[in-house]
Amino acid sequence: MARKTANDDPLAPVTLAVGQEDLLLDRAVQEVVAAARAADADTDVRDLTPDQLQPGTLAELTSPSLFAERKVVVVRNAQDLSADTIKDVKAYLGAPAEEITLVLLHAGGAKGKGLLDAARKAGAREVACPRMTKPADRLAFVRGEFRALGRSATPEACQALVDAVGSDLRELASAVSQLTADVEGTIDEAVVGRYYTGRAEASSFTVADRAVEGRAAEALEALRWSLATGVAPVLITSALAQGVRAIGKLSSARGGRPADLARELGMPPWKIDRVRQQMRGWTPDGVAAALRAVAEADAGVKGGGDDPEYALEKAVVTIARAARSRGRA
């Protein structure tokens, strides 16, 4: 969810949206436009790219109007503005016009940092829109979406939705919106499963999860579904490798809290908890056998075998068997 500065008035003279998460940037713009049109339904909105904002253009757009109309001027990718146009924007920041809201969208990197610093120094309202690369951030985003819509979802449901839909925030937001529109009461994991099980089963990581849990039949079913829906075999071998390596890493690590192990092993804490549940039937010999099976499958899907599907099925069965090796010892 986008974070805002203490100045939280969307009709502030200047709003600075900083980051690279497109959905959050778009929402920052929509919030300002909605507030402006609530104040004046005839608000004029100009949405401009750097090539459309030439030197002198901003002065034209913000010059006093005979009708004193409210206006929102949106400048996207402000870090890409020309040097002369940046001078115009900096000059405007020192004396913003009444009834006009300027919205600057900036990626936040080193490019165009002078403009970023000038807007902050001028007291611009700032909305942080960072790209959400961590699973925990996307999970928090989903929880926030449910809260914003006034609905309750269990932690398991939120995690299941992230697992099924993936990392695209627009798709996650759309999924939350669909669930809240279609389902009454608290949304739980079973509801998410009914709506999104097809997508989850098509995921290479679902194949890997079922395999390392020793659930061979379910892993094979997920594998066949994945291949039928166009998932690349190399993505599946990669997911299998990650799943087995995570088992090996955690089984050889010192005990401790998930947060400590997460730092030591380079895994998010939620994954530590999941892998702990998955590793109960594993032995060191089982991990070694599973890694050999993954290596053989990887070679098979990259041209070393005649039947990539068979290579993957063989690996899945071997991994599932290895996951139960402690019980056979």
Side-chain angles (χ1 to χ4, degrees), residues 16-38:
L16 179 64
V18 184
Q20 299 179 42
E21 191 61 69
D22 289 341
L23 174 65
L24 301 184
L25 290 168
D26 285 346
R27 285 184 173 182
V29 172
Q30 291 163 8
E31 182 182 26
V32 172
V33 171
R37 285 183 169 158

Side-chain angles (χ1 to χ4, degrees), residues 204 232-242 294 297-299 301-302 311-312 315:
S204 55
V234 291
L235 295 180
I236 298 174
T237 55
S238 175
L240 290 170
Q242 290 182 50
V294 171
D298 190 54
V301 302
K302 291 179 178 177
L312 286 168

